[in-house]
Amino acid sequence: MDSAAENGPGDDHRMKCGSSNLFKCHLAVINLTFMVGGFVLIGLIVWTHMNREHIVYSRILEDSSSTHSVASNVHNQQQQQQHHIPSSVIHKTTIIVVVTLVVVIVAFGFLGCCGASVESVCFLCLCVFLVVSVVIAEITIASTFHSIKDKMYADLLTRMQHQIRTEYNRTTVAKTTDQQQQQQQQHRSTIADLRRLTSTWNNLQTTFNCCGASGPRDFRFSAWYNQTKDSEGMFVPNTCCVLIDRLVPRNEAFCQIEALLIDSNDRPVTELHQSGCHEAIVRLVDSYLHHPLLITVFVAVILLQGIDIVFCCILALRIRRQLSEVNVSENNESEREESENE
């Protein structure tokens, strides 16, 4: 009885204020974590985009329409491109969507921190709206990518095989006789693009110890193969061989012999990489996508965003309740003063 008497309305008010302040601190910490994590992701995206290896390997995904436009089979390639989305479009769209998503994460983290600090219902409601949008977008992106992943891999294989057969190490392109100056400028830029593409493929093959898109057979009847003199005995580039240095094969002669006899299973292949680079890229991407750490982080982020939504809603309801109580008390006081004045 004595303890109950000691706990007056002031103690209840202090307990409510203490729990409310602790609640606001938790909400501010959660949103601050999202805001800092968003800035870190923006930095990683910028660093990855500026990284030399990313620039080199992203050229595999680029739409090679600049070289197609001066080739003799432009019409057929344009018809092929109408039936699928180019990998370059998917690549650029993915970057735009990810950057937009990260910016929204930073925005709702900022709104959540401000809403918890200044007790703004408007900021908290806007934060809830953005968090719900981000959760829906994350789940949609993950499910969409999982559903079209095989089609993207198949499209990537087609593009890689086309690059090997028609663009790898080409030194000439078809030119028309009309508008010679413009065609010469386009010819020079196209040759520069082909050289960069060739360098990209050489780096890819030496990094992943692979050969061609699906294997050494991709180089047969390719533009590189047709331009290589028969006396050189070159059936695959040196980067398809087992190397002792960046571009020095361990046994070039045996490597070329194994490339020539790749269809026969009479002897083991020891100096030639038989797996394709497409398989290496798919294996690398799948290893990242199915990594337990990535799955755990994704689930943890979704759960933390759900907690953020609940906390924002609860705090907004508390603030509204407190405001309504203040308004009621003010109305009661004004009515009491009016009655006393009367």
Side-chain angles (χ1 to χ4, degrees), residues 254 257-258 261 264-271 274:
F254 268 79
I257 291 174
E258 290 174 348
L261 304 175
S264 62
N265 300 322
D266 297 339
R267 58 187 304 275
V269 178
T270 58
E271 301 298 329
Q274 299 185 75

Side-chain angles (χ1 to χ4, degrees), residues 63-215:
D63 189 6
S64 50
S65 58
S66 60
T67 57
H68 293 171
S69 60
V70 293
S72 59
N73 55 351
V74 178
H75 181 68
N76 294 332
Q77 291 167 357
Q78 287 178 349
Q79 287 182 342
Q80 292 176 2
Q81 290 181 354
Q82 290 176 358
H83 293 85
H84 72 280
I85 301 175
S87 299
S88 59
V89 175
I90 298 176
H91 183 234
K92 293 176 182 178
T93 304
T94 303
I95 294 176
I96 294 173
V97 170
V98 171
V99 171
T100 304
L101 203 62
V102 172
V103 171
V104 174
I105 290 175
V106 173
F108 79 67
F110 174 77
L111 290 173
C113 288
C114 293
S117 301
V118 303
E119 296 185 354
S120 172
V121 177
C122 181
F123 280 1
L124 292 174
C125 291
L126 188 57
C127 177
V128 170
F129 173 75
L130 292 179
V131 177
V132 171
S133 301
V134 168
V135 171
I136 295 174
E138 289 170 346
I139 296 175
T140 303
I141 291 172
S143 59
T144 302
F145 178 79
H146 187 268
S147 62
I148 67 172
K149 182 178 64 173
D150 294 337
K151 184 178 183 301
M152 290 175 59
Y153 287 162
D155 177 73
L156 178 61
L157 176 61
T158 302
R159 181 166 298 279
M160 293 173 70
Q161 288 176 336
H162 176 78
Q163 289 175 349
I164 287 294
R165 292 168 182 169
T166 63
E167 299 175 5
Y168 179 84
N169 206 30
R170 281 180 59 187
T171 56
T172 59
V173 291
K175 294 187 293 182
T176 60
T177 57
D178 299 333
Q179 300 177 351
Q180 289 295 326
Q181 186 175 0
Q182 181 180 358
Q183 289 294 331
Q184 289 176 0
Q185 181 66 28
Q186 189 177 12
H187 174 75
R188 287 193 293 269
S189 63
T190 302
I191 291 299
D193 291 338
L194 293 173
R195 287 174 178 171
R196 284 195 295 267
L197 182 67
T198 302
S199 176
T200 299
W201 268 101
N202 289 333
N203 290 329
L204 190 67
Q205 292 177 148
T206 55
T207 301
F208 291 101
N209 294 327
C210 55
C211 183
S214 57

Side-chain angles (χ1 to χ4, degrees), residues 21-36:
N21 290 332
L22 183 62
F23 195 82
K24 288 190 293 184
C25 288
H26 288 164
L27 183 60
V29 168
I30 292 174
N31 286 279
L32 184 63
T33 302
F34 278 118
M35 189 166 61
V36 173

